[in-house]
Amino acid sequence: RPVAAEPWATFDRSPCGIVGLGGNVAEWTRDSHRSYTDDCWQSQPHVAPECDEPEAPLRSIAGGSWRSTAAGTRAALRVGGAVAGVDPWVGLRCVYPVGAP
């Protein structure tokens, strides 16, 4: 859920409104690295969208890390990456779906 952290996190805001996640590691995600205009994303609901294609060659890496520029730590920043753990600046965030025990 959104966290109030203004003004220091003005530029570190995810599309869901979460702030303050940038700067540790860039997040390797399960989502395929596709443009938001691609059918994979356009067919998704607005709540909890996913673009997970098991055979996709690239996954999205979101946000930035300790070695990124200030602009590169934005949570909304996305680049494509092949696998997690290749670089020390890419990591994972363990999360549970809303309502999970």
Side-chain angles (χ1 to χ4, degrees), residues 25-38:
V25 294
E27 177 186 4
W28 186 82
T29 70
R30 185 174 77 176
D31 293 320
S32 302
H33 186 65
R34 299 211 176 259
S35 167
Y36 285 131
T37 59
D38 190 89

Side-chain angles (χ1 to χ4, degrees), residues 28-29 31-34 57-62 77-83 87 89-90:
W28 186 82
T29 70
D31 293 320
S32 302
H33 186 65
R34 299 211 176 259
L58 297 177
R59 298 294 172 173
S60 287
I61 297 174
L77 179 70
R78 294 172 53 238
V79 297
V83 295
D87 289 308
W89 58 274
V90 177

Side-chain angles (χ1 to χ4, degrees), residues 1-77:
R1 65 185 165 150
V3 176
E6 301 299 337
W8 62 269
T10 302
F11 300 107
D12 181 18
R13 181 178 308 277
S14 78
C16 298
I18 300 171
V19 297
L21 296 177
N24 183 11
V25 294
E27 177 186 4
W28 186 82
T29 70
R30 185 174 77 176
D31 293 320
S32 302
H33 186 65
R34 299 211 176 259
S35 167
Y36 285 131
T37 59
D38 190 89
D39 287 342
C40 186
W41 284 110
Q42 292 296 312
S43 64
Q44 296 298 308
H46 290 290
V47 176
E50 292 182 0
C51 179
D52 180 19
E53 301 168 303
E55 301 303 319
L58 297 177
R59 298 294 172 173
S60 287
I61 297 174
S65 73
W66 49 270
R67 70 178 230 194
S68 301
T69 64
T73 61
R74 293 180 55 238
L77 179 70

